Amino acid sequence: APTLLAEAHTATDAQDMPTLKRAAHTLCGAMRHFGEIHGRTTAAELETAARNADFYATTNTIRQLDMDVAQLSTALTAFVGSQASDEP
């Protein structure tokens, strides 16, 4: 996700909507694997904004996606840490 998110930021900065749409679509699919509903919804909103070439919406939505990915990363790190401490 960090690489895709970086790609989405680069595309947003360049106003490269096709690349942003593709990155957002892939992030949406990646979030689905973790059952992350809020992040998946945000990624879908970003994909729609890119499809509509709505630069204002993309800049706001990518900020929310940053927070969603950070929350998912924190949760995954905590989960992995709890699994490691359960091992004998």
Side-chain angles (χ1 to χ4, degrees), residues 11-13 25 34 37 41 45 47-48 58-59 64 66 68 71 74 82 85-86:
T12 299
D13 292 343
H25 179 80
F34 298 105
I37 293 169
T41 299
E45 289 171 3
E47 181 181 3
T48 298
T58 62
T59 56
Q64 180 61 49
D66 285 335
D68 295 344
Q71 287 176 342
T74 299
S82 72
S85 66
D86 288 346

Side-chain angles (χ1 to χ4, degrees), residues 65-76:
L65 189 58
D66 285 335
M67 291 186 281
D68 295 344
V69 169
Q71 287 176 342
L72 177 60
S73 180
T74 299
L76 288 173

Side-chain angles (χ1 to χ4, degrees), residues 4-30:
L4 286 169
L5 194 54
E7 182 180 336
H9 274 280
T10 300
T12 299
D13 292 343
Q15 296 186 21
D16 178 355
M17 296 303 156
T19 299
L20 179 57
K21 181 178 160 244
R22 185 177 59 253
H25 179 80
T26 305
L27 278 164
C28 187

Side-chain angles (χ1 to χ4, degrees), residues 32-49:
R32 183 174 294 128
H33 289 287
F34 298 105
E36 176 53 47
I37 293 169
H38 187 71
R40 189 172 65 207
T41 299
T42 305
E45 289 171 3
L46 184 60
E47 181 181 3
T48 298

